[in-house]
Amino acid sequence: MSSVIASTRFSVLDRSRTREGHDGPSALRDTVRFARELDALGYHRVWVSEHHGVPGVAGSAPTVLAAAVAAATRTIRVGTGGVMLPNHQPLVVAEQFGVLESLFPGRIDMGLGRSVGFTGGVRKALGRDKDDADDFAAQLAELLEFFRGTSATGVRARPSDGLTVPPFVLAMGEGATIAAEAGLPMVIGDLRNREKMLRGIDRYRATFRPSAWAGEPYVVVSGTIAVAGSPEAAHRLLIPEAWSMAYSRTHGTFPPLPPAERVEALTMTAKERDFYESGLRGHIAGTEDQVADELETLIKESGAQEVLVTTSSYDRGGLLESYRGLARVAGLRRA
């Protein structure tokens, strides 16, 4: 095994994707069961996400789901990828993570993003506007002050005050600059636009300011990785997500994941086909040896300390086998 890969942490973001013929509650239970498997395999952390009003994603309350995941696992770190801070009051977010850290000390991560609701209806229901994302840096600073007991409001967040919950910034758009100026670890993707990702990493490292939370830059690269016995089988795992993305781009809504065979039988419009084929390109997918070669290149190019895998698929059994194969590639302790 490559020494470059061996020195890299491997983690997973599970977005609780719904599947055709399976409801949202079953997707959430799948996430909890899946986290147990990842814990047994030796992955470093498992994160859950925040989406509102999306038919294809059941994960709408990440701190609640993180509590269920942490309760069901033993050693793996658990966190959010992420809590979308513009949707919430920083005090409430601090309190939620303080409760999680109190219940599961030393295992909780606080991944934070700057997105707001995807549609106007969702933003209205949340009482938010697109422009609220522009205040992310200030919201982030306010949130972290609650853990240090230095909030300008004079309020002491309970039980968060004095606790240390590692914060991460999800670097979408200008997030790399915000992470660097705040002196926080950064999560950046995706693998399909490698040059843009590498530019963001360079900008982050060049402008990083050490803080009480991190003394030096810490880079997590995120994206889709699929491992199977053949390149064709690995490619097949990517089909449901590629079609869901294509459908969302052409119909305005992100649907549940369909089985690969149904997608393969579809007659697509030229626009749908273009988005679909684009969605299949640029990921890391193949046999264990092929994935190992691509991962070594990625890690050398990016200098990343950690890889966060975000693969979703209709075939949950095939997905678990993919993560088992990746665990072997990464040399995880129980693979």
Side-chain angles (χ1 to χ4, degrees):
M1 182 182 57
S2 160
S3 60
V4 172
I5 293 176
S7 62
T8 304
R9 290 169 167 167
F10 284 81
S11 301
V12 175
L13 169 65
D14 188 79
R15 287 177 292 145
S16 304
R17 292 287 275 111
T18 56
R19 299 179 292 155
E20 289 185 0
H22 303 264
D23 60 14
S26 68
L28 296 171
R29 292 190 292 268
D30 282 345
T31 291
V32 175
R33 284 192 291 265
F34 186 46
R36 290 195 196 103
E37 298 281 0
L38 297 172
D39 191 18
L41 287 169
Y43 279 91
H44 184 60
R45 46 181 130 241
V46 58
W47 283 1
V48 296
S49 63
E50 175 183 340
H51 295 272
H52 300 283
V54 180
V57 184
S60 56
T63 53
V64 177
L65 184 53
V69 168
T73 54
R74 294 175 55 250
T75 61
I76 195 169
R77 296 193 64 87
V78 178
T80 57
V83 164
M84 297 302 149
L85 197 49
N87 291 338
H88 310 280
Q89 292 297 330
L91 171 62
V92 176
V93 175
E95 291 170 339
Q96 290 173 345
F97 279 98
V99 169
L100 284 170
E101 175 63 20
S102 299
L103 294 173
F104 309 100
R107 291 181 57 205
I108 300 301
D109 300 321
M110 186 167 57
L112 304 162
R114 62 187 296 270
S115 296
V116 291
F118 182 67
T119 66
V122 169
R123 289 191 293 274
K124 183 177 180 181
L126 289 169
R128 296 296 186 266
D129 189 81
K130 276 185 177 180
D131 294 340
D132 288 325
D134 297 337
D135 296 329
F136 177 66
Q139 295 161 347
L140 179 63
E142 183 180 352
L143 169 64
L144 298 181
E145 286 169 356
F146 283 119
F147 287 91
R148 292 290 184 256
T150 58
S151 172
T153 65
V155 174
R156 306 298 286 266
R158 312 289 184 189
S160 317
D161 193 355
L163 297 180
T164 298
V165 181
F168 295 75
V169 172
L170 276 60
M172 303 296 290
E174 64 186 79
T177 300
I178 294 173
E181 292 179 349
L184 299 179
M186 175 185 71
V187 183
I188 189 167
D190 65 48
L191 305 182
R192 292 179 298 169
N193 195 337
R194 197 72 56 89
E195 290 185 5
K196 181 179 180 181
M197 182 186 75
L198 294 176
R199 287 197 303 271
I201 292 171
D202 288 344
R203 184 168 67 253
Y204 167 71
R205 290 200 175 106
T207 57
F208 183 86
R209 300 175 184 172
S211 72
W213 299 93
E216 57 188 24
Y218 187 91
V219 174
V220 183
V221 293
S222 67
T224 295
I225 300 174
V227 185
S230 69
E232 294 77 19
H235 171 87
R236 192 172 177 78
L237 285 173
L238 306 179
I239 289 175
E241 187 75 51
W243 170 246
S244 291
M245 291 297 294
Y247 189 92
S248 72
R249 297 291 295 275
T250 53
H251 293 77
T253 185
F254 197 64
L257 294 172
E261 55 269 22
R262 189 175 79 73
V263 177
E264 292 170 325
L266 288 173
T267 300
M268 302 183 193
T269 67
K271 191 173 184 180
E272 287 171 340
R273 175 69 61 180
D274 184 56
F275 282 128
Y276 169 66
E277 292 181 351
S278 174
L280 291 171
R281 292 193 293 266
H283 308 293
I284 294 179
T287 65
E288 291 183 23
D289 287 343
Q290 290 170 326
V291 167
D293 288 343
E294 291 194 54
L295 274 174
E296 183 165 11
T297 299
L298 169 67
I299 295 165
K300 285 180 177 177
E301 287 179 349
S302 64
Q305 289 97 331
E306 187 168 342
V307 175
L308 179 70
V309 188
T310 62
T311 312
S312 298
S313 189
Y314 179 90
D315 179 4
R316 297 291 295 188
L319 184 63
L320 179 56
E321 285 303 315
S322 176
Y323 278 108
R324 285 176 177 151
L326 181 59
R328 289 190 291 270
V329 168
L332 300 186
R333 63 186 182 274
R334 292 187 287 275

